[in-house]
């Protein structure tokens, strides 16, 4: 069976995975493991899980393994002693790993920490599979400029954007009425305000349909994930800001839709398994087989939809407002959210305070334009400091 698509027939395709110990990294490597001869792994990166990174680097014969936390260099070096696998550590080393020649790069670092590596991956002018939505949210214009300059192809991994990519008619974007992102509604979809106020991190990361990293799971619970995806969608597709809508669809079977002027609405459907959109980006422009369960619609029986509750989940409107404002607002939103989610996961703030911190950070900081990576990093840092101050004051 022809599952994979080497760049040159017979030659393994050279790939790099940024964020190789995460949920997306694991799903990607699962697909690689089913066709080991079709791929040659250039680099794998992670932030601090040395044993898992070392295990995966050995198992997949990576040429280079990079750990983001530089204190862990010796640890990784010892774990990989005698294997011939090169070892490096620190944020700059991860960005350098992304610049090593590869035919296909998975950008699956979580958060704005993925921005520089993603930009370096794009600069190779090859294919970048983008899971790291935060890099588009905080610096979409800069990522786009580099895509144009370097002739790279960016393929969306996020299931909603991958779905839209599959059904969007790029030859006549003016015939698109709107794109419709579906949202599962997260674990607190039907919880009262009081219950959400007391929600624990364990409850927030227990997503009903998807098995994901902790940060995106909390984002799904606040609906900030959908807000980030609205901004991501605006950067990925040629639509206006008011042509992006969100509908809650608890079964997560329809991954998103494109509505056309003639009344046709095209949807992409599938089981909630990230291996399907990842495989799409691996095989593009063709398709490859995956072990994702096929849809059994007669077993599912009903698909339901409702409008998001914007009062109980105000994060969505914060993201829409940041998109409308443009400039540095999305970067502020994203950075404040990263800080607030981390504080919630560390039991330093309550669940409802996540969105309050983000809103208050946006209110306190004046927006401006963003035209360089240095400016993005400065705004990101200022927003992190502001959010941390707000959190510190909450506990006083
Ligand atoms: P995860 O937490 O499971 O994994 C994150 C990866 O990034 C890990 O390998 C970790 O080591 C690395 N990392 C974390 N902080 C880092 C830092 N400061 N520097 C370098 N590396 C760092 O997250 P995930 O669920 O795999 O999500 C990864 C990205 O994909 C996120 O942007 C998320 O929004 C997006 N995404 C994930 C899913 C999903 O199903 N998991 C779906 C759609 C989009
Ligand atoms: Mg998504």
């Amino acid at each position: 069976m022809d599952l994979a698509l080497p760049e040159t027939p017979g030659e393994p395709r050279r790939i790099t995975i940024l964020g190789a110990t995460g949920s997306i990294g694991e799903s990607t490597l699962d697909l690689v493991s089913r066709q080991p001869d079709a791929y040659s792994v250039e680099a794998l990166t992670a932030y601090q899980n040395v044993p898992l990174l070392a295990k995966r680097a050995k198992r997949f014969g990576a040429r280079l393994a990079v750990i983001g936390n530089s204190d862990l260099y010796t640890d990784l070096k010892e774990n990989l002693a005698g294997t011939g696998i090169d070892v490096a550590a620190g944020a700059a080393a991860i960005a350098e790993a992304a610049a090593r020649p590869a035919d296909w790069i998975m950008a699956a670092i979580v958060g704005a920490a993925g921005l520089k590596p993603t930009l370096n991956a794009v600069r190779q002018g090859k294919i970048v599979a983008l899971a790291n939505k935060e890099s588009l949210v905080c610096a979409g214009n800069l990522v786009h400029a580099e895509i144009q300059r370097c002739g790279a192809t960016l393929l969306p991994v996020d299931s909603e954007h991958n779905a839209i990519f599959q059904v969007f008619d790029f030859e006549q974007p003016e015939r698109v009425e709107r794109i419709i992102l579906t949202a599962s509604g997260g674990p607190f979809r039907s919880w009262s305000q009081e219950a959400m106020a007391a929600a624990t991190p364990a409850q927030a990361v227990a997503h009903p349909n998807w098995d994901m990293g902790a940060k995106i799971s909390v984002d799904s619970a606040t609906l900030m994930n959908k807000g980030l995806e609205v901004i991501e969608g605006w950067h990925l597709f040629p639509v206006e800001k008011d042509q992006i809508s969100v509908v809650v669809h608890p079964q997560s079977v329809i991954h998103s839709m494109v509505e056309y002027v003639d009344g046709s609405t095209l949807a992409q459907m599938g089981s909630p398994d990230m291996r399907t959109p990842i495989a799409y980006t691996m095989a593009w422009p063709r398709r490859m087989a995956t072990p994702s369960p096929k849809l059994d619609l007669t077993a599912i029986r009903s698909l339901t939809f409702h409008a998001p509750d914007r009062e109980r989940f105000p994060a969505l409107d914060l993201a829409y407002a940041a998109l409308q404002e443009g400039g540095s607002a999305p970067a502020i939103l994203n950075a404040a959210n990263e800080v607030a989610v981390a504080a919630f996961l560390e039991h330093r703030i309550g669940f409802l305070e996540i969105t309050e911190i983000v809103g208050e950070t946006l209110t306190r900081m004046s927006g401006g334009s963003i035209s360089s990576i240095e400016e993005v990093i400065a705004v990101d840092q200022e927003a992190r400091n502001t959010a941390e101050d707000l959190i510190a004051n909450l506990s006083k």
Side-chain angles (χ1 to χ4, degrees):
M1 209 176 0
D2 175 22
L3 295 184
L5 290 165
E7 196 83 336
T8 322
E11 287 283 308
R13 201 177 190 207
R14 214 165 7 162
I15 67 170
T16 282
I17 301 171
L18 307 168
T21 54
S23 159
I24 293 288
E26 178 171 343
S27 296
T28 307
L29 287 169
D30 177 81
L31 293 170
V32 172
S33 73
R34 291 161 200 277
Q35 280 276 296
D37 297 339
Y39 302 100
S40 115
V41 176
E42 181 65 26
L44 297 182
T45 79
Y47 184 63
Q48 58 186 1
N49 192 338
V50 168
L52 189 57
L53 176 63
K55 184 174 154 207
R56 291 186 172 166
K58 282 189 240 176
R59 159 115 206 266
F60 291 93
R63 283 183 200 86
L64 170 70
V66 188
I67 195 81
N69 181 342
S70 36
D71 295 342
L72 299 172
Y73 174 77
T74 314
D75 200 2
L76 183 62
K77 187 93 186 147
E78 281 166 9
N79 268 268
L80 290 174
T83 60
I85 299 170
D86 290 337
V87 170
I94 291 186
E96 281 165 29
R100 299 212 353 173
D103 304 311
W104 184 91
I105 299 169
M106 167 57 78
I109 291 173
V110 60
L115 178 56
K116 279 189 182 173
T118 299
L119 279 170
N120 275 355
V122 163
R123 287 180 184 130
Q124 294 199 35
K126 296 283 181 58
I127 296 180
V128 176
L130 186 85
N132 176 221
K133 67 190 86 185
E134 295 91 346
S135 63
L136 273 190
V137 169
C138 67
N141 294 346
L142 302 178
V143 175
H144 257 288
E146 289 303 278
I147 291 171
Q148 298 300 326
R149 192 174 69 81
C150 305
T153 301
L154 194 78
L155 299 175
V157 170
D158 215 348
S159 58
E160 297 77 4
H161 306 76
N162 188 273
I164 292 167
F165 188 83
Q166 293 194 39
V167 295
F168 195 99
D169 188 346
F170 288 94
E171 285 181 6
Q172 38 181 347
E174 73 286 356
R175 298 291 180 247
V176 169
E177 190 83 37
R178 58 181 180 140
I179 59 178
I180 305 162
L181 300 173
T182 53
S184 69
F188 304 151
R189 183 172 56 87
S190 48
W191 284 35
S192 69
Q193 198 75 4
E194 296 67 39
M196 282 199 287
T200 65
Q203 290 169 322
V205 298
H207 196 279
N209 305 340
W210 299 92
D211 182 12
M212 312 180 286
K215 191 260 179 184
I216 181 176
S217 298
V218 175
D219 286 348
S220 299
T222 57
L223 281 204
M224 182 58 88
N225 182 51
K226 213 48 54 181
L228 298 176
E229 290 182 357
V230 166
I231 301 173
E232 179 187 16
W234 183 69
H235 285 293
L236 286 171
F237 303 107
V239 293
E240 300 298 327
K241 292 174 178 175
D242 60 2
Q243 286 180 296
I244 308 173
S245 54
V246 171
V247 65
V248 177
H249 165 47
Q251 296 81 16
S252 300
V253 166
I254 293 186
H255 296 309
S256 277
M257 298 170 258
V258 177
E259 182 184 279
Y260 289 91
V261 289
D262 63 1
S264 301
T265 297
L266 303 194
Q268 185 266 357
M269 302 163 75
S271 300
D273 182 335
M274 286 307 292
R275 290 176 299 184
T276 296
I278 294 169
Y280 185 86
T281 70
M282 288 172 94
W284 182 86
R286 288 161 63 195
R287 290 194 186 262
M288 61 191 252
T290 78
S292 308
K294 300 291 183 289
L295 271 188
D296 181 351
L297 289 171
T298 53
I300 297 167
R301 295 188 56 218
S302 72
L303 300 179
T304 59
F305 306 90
H306 62 83
D309 184 336
R310 308 183 99 102
E311 272 167 31
R312 273 190 316 125
F313 299 100
L316 189 56
D317 280 347
L318 285 180
Y320 267 110
L323 174 64
Q324 279 303 338
E325 187 179 331
S328 59
I332 297 169
L333 171 99
N334 178 67
N337 182 57
E338 286 190 35
V339 166
V341 169
F344 169 69
L345 288 170
E346 292 161 9
H347 300 269
R348 288 159 53 211
I349 62 172
F351 179 76
L352 295 179
E353 284 158 354
I354 300 172
T355 308
E356 285 169 24
I357 297 288
V358 177
E360 189 57 28
T361 305
L362 280 159
T363 306
R364 292 205 180 184
M365 281 179 66
S366 48
S369 65
I370 282 202
S371 50
S372 68
I373 177 95
E374 291 72 26
E375 283 172 1
V376 177
I377 291 166
V379 164
D380 175 275
Q381 192 55 55
E382 192 187 342
R384 282 169 200 272
N385 296 343
T386 306
E388 285 293 5
D389 284 350
L390 289 165
I391 291 167
N393 284 333
L394 271 181
S395 48
K396 274 184 190 154

